[in-house]
Amino acid sequence: MSKPVYILNGPNLNLLGAREPEIYGKQTLADIEDICRIEADTHGLPVRFHQSNIEGEIVDQIQEARDKASALIINPAAYTHSSIALHDALKTLDIPVIEVHLSQPATRESFRRRSYVAETATGTISGFGADSYRLAIKAASKLAQPDT
Ligand code: CA2
């Protein structure tokens, strides 16, 4: 069995579907997890899906991914725009890192234009709603190295 793709989700994404559907869509995070698992299955990739509202827990997950994951997909939510701790943790990874966003932060408030994560990522996919995650898994399936 190959190493899983880690899919990490930051603060407030557990509220998806309940508020602001015009920005983030109607799907819940559980719906997005289902979409990810279905897409990953088509590529034969196992998935570890996680959400936390706590910055340090996300850092712990990134550190775990260093030797347990084949690729890391992360929607850091608001920590995208503030977290040097996530930036530093992500910089330690030797696996592909894909930053995802449901919305297109560049077209929103000016404080969303700065991403501390983008500088550490292999690439960023944003603005496609839940499809951003599906596209990120496609990218991960191309980039992830088979187990040695
Ligand atoms: O578009 C994205 O995926 C974001 O990462 C979502 C973050 C936002 O801070 C980023 O700039 C862009 C916000 C996630 C909060 O999700 C909510 C869901 C439902 C209700 C309220 C917030």
Side-chain angles (χ1 to χ4, degrees):
M1 175 72 94
S2 53
K3 289 181 180 176
V5 174
Y6 274 37
I7 306 175
L8 306 183
N9 295 279
N12 298 309
L13 288 166
N14 54 313
L15 298 178
L16 281 176
R19 297 194 49 202
E20 303 191 71
E22 67 288 356
I23 300 175
Y24 300 120
K26 289 186 184 154
Q27 279 135 324
T28 64
L29 195 62
D31 294 333
I32 291 176
E33 180 171 355
D34 287 345
I35 287 167
C36 287
R37 290 192 185 280
I38 289 165
E39 181 67 34
D41 270 358
T42 70
H43 302 285
L45 289 174
V47 157
R48 187 186 154 95
F49 196 93
H50 187 78
Q51 187 274 333
S52 178
N53 294 324
I54 300 168
E55 189 176 22
E57 277 187 13
I58 303 170
V59 170
D60 285 344
Q61 290 287 315
I62 294 168
Q63 289 186 7
E64 188 180 298
R66 281 161 50 86
D67 47 30
K68 295 216 170 116
S70 59
L72 184 139
I73 294 169
I74 184 164
N75 183 347
Y79 289 144
T80 308
H81 318 296
S82 67
S83 179
I84 295 167
L86 291 194
H87 172 103
D88 286 347
L90 289 164
K91 269 185 89 167
T92 71
L93 297 180
D94 294 323
I95 55 176
V97 174
I98 302 157
E99 177 186 6
V100 297
H101 298 285
L102 296 155
S103 66
Q104 171 61 303
T107 63
R108 300 179 61 196
E109 302 95 326
S110 59
F111 63 81
R112 295 187 204 276
R113 288 188 200 134
R114 174 79 164 97
S115 169
Y116 288 92
V117 168
E119 290 154 21
T120 70
T122 313
T124 301
I125 299 169
S126 62
F128 300 103
D131 268 344
S132 293
Y133 285 75
R134 203 196 313 263
L135 293 167
I137 288 169
K138 274 187 195 293
S141 77
K142 297 232 173 215
L143 295 168
Q145 299 294 318
D147 289 351
T148 49

